[in-house]
């Protein structure tokens, strides 16, 4: 088989696994098989459609070997994970079978519960929907349960609830909702990586596509997919929005960037980037789409959801809303810049509290705004732009008071593949790629015993790499893939 046929087969198999999850959630085994077949055919067609062709002329053979090994590993891991998503009692197929935390933690529980509580008198942010209020308030939060899963706390704007509400109407029971969410998120991220690779052009895009299995085989990605956090979807939507803008499709780009921004706030930094580039049409479409989404949310949920959110927002921005920031293991696993305050607290540094974290957070906000404006003033070739957008998004995510590794590392792993694709002229870059990939895969489940201070030092490896790679992404380049 040719390399093109192998790439086509790998993408088809990956799409089939996610498609099976979607179909199984809606129609059992038969539905899973049908949707898997459709997803595989669409993915295979996407590689062969006009305007897209693989160009292996600037892809060294060691990169092809690395791609093949990563692809086999990714497909094997995705198969295991799909089995666990279909049957949550099959804990042996969990990412880390020996970790109760990995088995029972599911961010999607928050979306499911909040969608059901969105119009309740207490609103979607009330603790009663997520925590046992009879438990000792001086001790760590005791979550409610959905089957074997602990209910996570909802910490997003009300506009985001439109999506889980629609999916909950299709899958009203949580096991089906979880499976549907997993499949759709996987398909969306897969499509985004392919579309961005195509945007890079035949030469750079081919290498980016061949290196993309490094994203799918990585431990943080599997943790992210298993837990069902929306971070990957938001990053993918923001990247697709910027590609749409570049292709002269402002309506599609505005809708995607507006959804990402009203869902998680931080993608709004790309709106600042667009403003600095004086791309006012794209900004207007984004603002208009954001207003429309907000109006639809208002009609659907009423004023109450917005009132509750405005009351909750100060705690959300300051970090008090996150129960994890009171748990030493979670403090050590926090990759955010304000989270450095709580890591210092682990080492006994005085005055390291929420007030200090807020100060650090706002100072860092000024820094990333300045970096974004500087990036917008530079001239970038088309194949360099996705790296810049992703770098800005990564720096923006680090502003959150709480950013666990699985959600922090996923966009960084994607960025790593794009940076490598931009410069494959010299094989001496391959060891650096492998070292960075290994560093981003340093991982430790929250419930495995490990002194939080040592844990924070070990996890500083992927944390520092995340910052370094994001900054490198904003550095001007004088050459691209294979040029002298």
């Amino acid at each position: 088989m040719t390399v093109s046929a192998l790439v086509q087969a790998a993408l088809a198999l990956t799409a089939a696994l996610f498609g099976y999850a979607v179909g199984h959630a809606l129609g059992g085994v038969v539905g899973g098989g049908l949707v898997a077949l459709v997803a595989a055919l669409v993915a295979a067609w996407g590689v062969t459609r006009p305007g897209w062709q693989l160009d292996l002329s600037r892809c060294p053979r060691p990169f092809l070997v690395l791609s093949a090994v990563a692809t086999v590993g990714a497909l094997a891991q995705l198969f295991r994970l799909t089995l666990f998503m279909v049957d949550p009692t099959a804990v042996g197929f969990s990412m880390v079978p020996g970790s109760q935390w990995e088995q029972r933690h599911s961010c999607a529980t928050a979306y499911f519960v909040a969608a059901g509580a969105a119009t309740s008198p207490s609103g979607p942010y009330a603790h009663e929907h997520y925590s046992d209020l009879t438990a000792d308030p001086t001790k760590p939060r005791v979550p409610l349960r959905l089957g074997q899963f602990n209910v996570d706390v909802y910490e997003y704007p009300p506009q985001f609830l439109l999506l889980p509400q629609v999916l909950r109407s299709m899958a009203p029971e949580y096991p089906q909702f979880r499976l549907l969410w997993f499949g759709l998120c996987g398909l969306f991220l897969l499509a985004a990586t392919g579309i961005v690779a195509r945007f890079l052009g035949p030469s750079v895009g081919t290498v980016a596509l061949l290196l993309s299995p490094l994203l799918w085989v990585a431990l943080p990605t599997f943790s992210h997919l298993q837990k069902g956090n929306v971070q990957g979807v938001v990053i993918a939507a923001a990247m697709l929005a910027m590609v749409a803008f570049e292709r002269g499709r402002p309506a599609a780009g505005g809708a995607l960037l507006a959804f990402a921004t009203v869902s998680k706030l931080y993608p709004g930094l790309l709106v600042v980037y667009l403003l600095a580039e004086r791309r006012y049409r794209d900004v207007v479409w984004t603002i208009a789409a954001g207003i429309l989404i907000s109006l639809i949310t208002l009609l659907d949920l009423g004023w109450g959801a917005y009132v509750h959110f405005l009351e909750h927002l100060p705690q959300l921005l300051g970090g008090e809303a996150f129960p994890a920031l009171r748990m030493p293991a979670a403090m050590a696993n926090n990759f955010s810049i304000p989270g450095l305050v709580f890591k210092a607290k682990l080492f006994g540094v005085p005055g390291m509290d929420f007030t200090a974290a807020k100060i650090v957070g706002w100072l860092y906000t000024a820094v990333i705004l300045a970096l974004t404006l500087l990036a917008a003033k530079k001239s970038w070739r088309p194949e360099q732009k996705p790296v810049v957008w992703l770098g800005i998004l990564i720096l923006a995510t680090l502003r959150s008071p709480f950013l666990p590794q699985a959600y922090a590392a996923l966009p960084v792993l994607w960025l790593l593949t794009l940076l490598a694709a931009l410069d494959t002229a010299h094989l001496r870059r391959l060891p650096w790629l492998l070292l960075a990939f290994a560093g981003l895969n340093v991982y430790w489940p929250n419930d495995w015993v490990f002194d939080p201070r040592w844990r924070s030092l070990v996890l500083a490896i992927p944390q520092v790499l995340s910052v370094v790679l994001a900054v490198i992404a904003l550095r001007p380049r004088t050459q691209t893939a294979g040029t002298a």
Side-chain angles (χ1 to χ4, degrees), residues 331 338-357 360 453 456-457:
M331 291 180 189
L340 293 174
V341 169
F342 300 100
K343 290 194 175 187
K345 182 179 180 179
L346 294 174
F347 289 90
V349 179
M352 297 293 99
D353 54 14
F354 285 104
T355 300
V360 171
R453 293 168 296 181
S456 66
L457 291 176

Side-chain angles (χ1 to χ4, degrees), residues 74-99:
L75 286 171
Q77 287 286 73
L78 276 174
F79 180 75
R80 282 184 62 245
L81 183 57
T82 303
L83 292 176
F84 178 60
M85 302 308 288
V86 170
D87 180 9
T89 64
V91 295
F93 296 116
S94 168
M95 174 192 163
V96 186
S99 169

Side-chain angles (χ1 to χ4, degrees), residues 160-388:
F160 170 68
L161 289 175
L162 292 177
L163 177 59
Q165 277 192 318
V166 170
L167 298 185
R168 182 165 172 160
S169 68
M170 301 166 63
E173 300 297 326
Y174 183 68
Q176 287 71 41
F177 177 91
R178 169 178 171 267
L179 184 58
L180 178 63
W181 184 266
F182 162 75
L184 291 176
C185 290
L187 286 172
F188 191 74
L189 184 58
L190 180 66
T193 55
I195 291 170
V196 170
R198 184 183 183 190
F199 175 80
L200 295 171
S203 177
V204 178
T206 295
V207 182
L209 191 64
L210 290 172
L211 291 180
S212 63
L214 290 175
L215 169 64
W216 297 100
V217 78
L219 292 177
T221 302
F222 274 90
S223 178
H224 177 278
L225 290 171
Q226 180 171 308
K227 293 178 175 67
N229 192 273
V230 76
Q231 178 87 321
V233 169
V234 170
I235 293 288
M239 291 293 287
L240 289 176
M242 300 301 287
V243 170
F245 289 142
E246 292 290 325
R247 290 177 171 172
R249 299 171 184 170
L256 286 165
L257 187 54
F259 166 76
T261 300
V262 299
S263 296
K264 291 280 277 184
L265 301 180
Y266 68 79
L269 201 59
L270 286 179
V271 179
V272 175
Y273 178 81
L274 292 170
L275 277 171
E277 285 194 318
R278 299 183 179 180
R279 296 169 61 172
Y280 301 123
R281 183 184 65 165
D282 297 336
V283 173
V284 169
W285 275 103
T286 303
I287 293 174
I291 292 173
L292 180 59
I293 294 172
S294 299
L295 288 175
I296 294 173
T297 304
L298 177 62
L299 292 174
D300 183 40
L301 306 182
W303 283 109
Y306 284 104
V307 171
H308 291 303
F309 176 67
L310 290 176
E311 293 173 348
H312 188 68
L313 186 59
Q315 290 188 326
L316 184 62
L317 294 176
E320 294 93 343
F322 295 91
L325 290 179
R326 298 168 179 84
M327 301 169 59
M331 291 180 189
N333 191 32
N334 185 5
F335 276 39
S336 82
I337 298 301
L340 293 174
V341 169
F342 300 100
K343 290 194 175 187
K345 182 179 180 179
L346 294 174
F347 289 90
V349 179
M352 297 293 99
D353 54 14
F354 285 104
T355 300
K358 292 175 187 177
I359 295 172
V360 171
W362 287 115
L363 290 174
Y364 178 69
T365 301
V367 172
I368 57 176
L369 279 172
L371 289 174
T372 300
L373 293 175
L374 287 173
K377 297 298 182 183
K378 299 171 184 175
S379 296
W380 305 99
R381 289 190 293 274
E383 70 272 14
Q384 295 174 335
K385 291 180 179 180
V387 165
V388 177

